[in-house]
Amino acid sequence: KAGVTQTPRYLIKTRGQQVTLSCSPISGHRSVSWYQQTPGQGLQFLFEYFSETQRNKGNFPGRFSGRQFSNSRSEMNVSTLELGDSALYLCASSGRSSYNSPLHFGNGTRLTVT
Amino acid sequence: AQTVTQSQPEMSVQEAETVTLSCTYDTSESDYYLFWYKQPPSRQMILVIRQEAYKQQNATENRFSVNFQKAAKSFSLKISDSQLGDAAMYFCASSPLTQGGSEKLVFGKGTKLTVNP
């Protein structure tokens, strides 16, 4: 079974631009969540989607948004990029077949904002 | 609100020896899960072990075991017979217990484990 796939692996953008990151969950998984990882703030929860609906959202500005498609693939978008948005963005999927199904993470997208 | 604290930014261990990574947490939830994740240089977060807070018995997974002290809100990870492949960042995390609910994890800042040959 293929794991969680995130594309692209690396991305370089300039301030003010916008960016879209993609995540394909493990086949059959309907829950996708996103995390931002930085050296200063560590791992922080961005949002979670289940069956195309946002179930939970972290404490991030409105420039951060996401969506989930009917095939469970998810995208997150960051508009008007700032230098502080440079981070590793991790996507995770779970099957939700039981209580707190384990999260399966992808390898992340490394975003650099210059 | 939940918080997770890892007080050891870095740890080192000799190959084949045992090492314990510390984690404390704070939560207002009555039921919750605790996790240890490993992040090698490949960047992928890998679940090492998880503990349901309502279970008194400490979880074990092969060479990995936890010491869960609910009253003290402590959740340490013990790695026995350390191997070179265990070298990685280790993150402690907590999540409220939900059935098909939010998968939101709160992570600690991590402990970098070095394994010396």
Side-chain angles (χ1 to χ4, degrees):
Chain A
K1 202 182 236 187
V4 177
T5 303
Q6 291 188 246
T7 56
R9 288 214 65 187
Y10 299 92
L11 207 49
I12 300 175
K13 292 285 187 178
T14 56
R15 277 179 297 176
Q17 287 186 315
Q18 74 166 17
V19 66
T20 299
L21 312 182
S22 180
C23 173
S24 293
I26 290 173
S27 178
H29 284 189
R30 295 166 63 191
S31 173
V32 173
S33 51
W34 290 88
Y35 290 82
Q36 181 196 64
Q37 185 176 19
T38 60
Q41 299 298 317
L43 283 147
Q44 294 185 287
F45 173 78
L46 279 157
F47 26 65
E48 185 224 353
Y49 288 87
F50 179 73
S51 293
E52 301 179 66
T53 301
Q54 188 179 87
R55 294 292 297 269
N56 204 345
K57 189 177 189 304
N59 188 26
F60 279 82
R63 301 185 296 106
F64 291 81
S65 63
R67 59 178 176 169
Q68 186 180 33
F69 302 95
S70 58
N71 62 358
S72 294
R73 189 178 71 86
S74 178
E75 289 181 348
M76 67 163 281
N77 184 76
V78 187
S79 62
T80 319
L81 283 166
E82 300 177 359
L83 294 179
D85 297 334
S86 295
L88 179 66
Y89 290 87
L90 292 167
C91 169
S93 73
S94 71
R96 286 175 169 265
S97 59
S98 62
Y99 285 94
N100 293 82
S101 302
L103 291 181
H104 299 264
F105 284 85
N107 286 352
T109 294
R110 171 79 66 188
L111 172 65
T112 302
V113 182
T114 61
Chain B
Q2 295 181 310
T3 60
V4 176
T5 303
Q6 294 178 250
S7 59
Q8 306 152 315
E10 296 187 27
M11 291 281 286
S12 64
V13 63
Q14 290 297 125
E15 198 175 2
E17 297 293 310
T18 296
V19 64
T20 299
L21 307 184
S22 301
C23 173
T24 58
Y25 63 93
D26 194 14
T27 180
S28 56
E29 303 288 339
S30 56
D31 291 315
Y32 50 92
Y33 272 85
L34 296 166
F35 306 85
W36 278 98
Y37 277 89
K38 166 186 175 181
Q39 187 179 39
S42 67
R43 307 181 329 200
Q44 184 178 24
M45 297 285 281
I46 302 165
L47 178 65
V48 174
I49 198 167
R50 71 174 184 171
Q51 171 85 41
E52 295 92 330
Y54 62 88
K55 288 186 178 179
Q56 292 186 337
Q57 186 174 5
N58 290 325
T60 61
E61 285 288 345
N62 301 314
R63 297 182 296 106
F64 299 88
S65 62
V66 298
N67 183 4
F68 175 47
Q69 303 288 329
K70 191 171 184 178
K73 294 186 177 177
S74 169
F75 183 62
S76 61
L77 174 70
K78 186 172 82 170
I79 306 174
S80 304
D81 186 26
S82 297
Q83 300 175 1
L84 295 178
D86 294 334
M89 282 291 289
Y90 285 80
F91 293 94
C92 180
S94 71
S95 175
L97 180 68
T98 58
Q99 183 179 18
S102 172
E103 302 288 355
K104 177 180 178 180
L105 292 176
V106 175
F107 286 90
K109 290 294 179 70
T111 296
K112 182 179 180 182
L113 178 66
T114 301
V115 181
N116 300 310

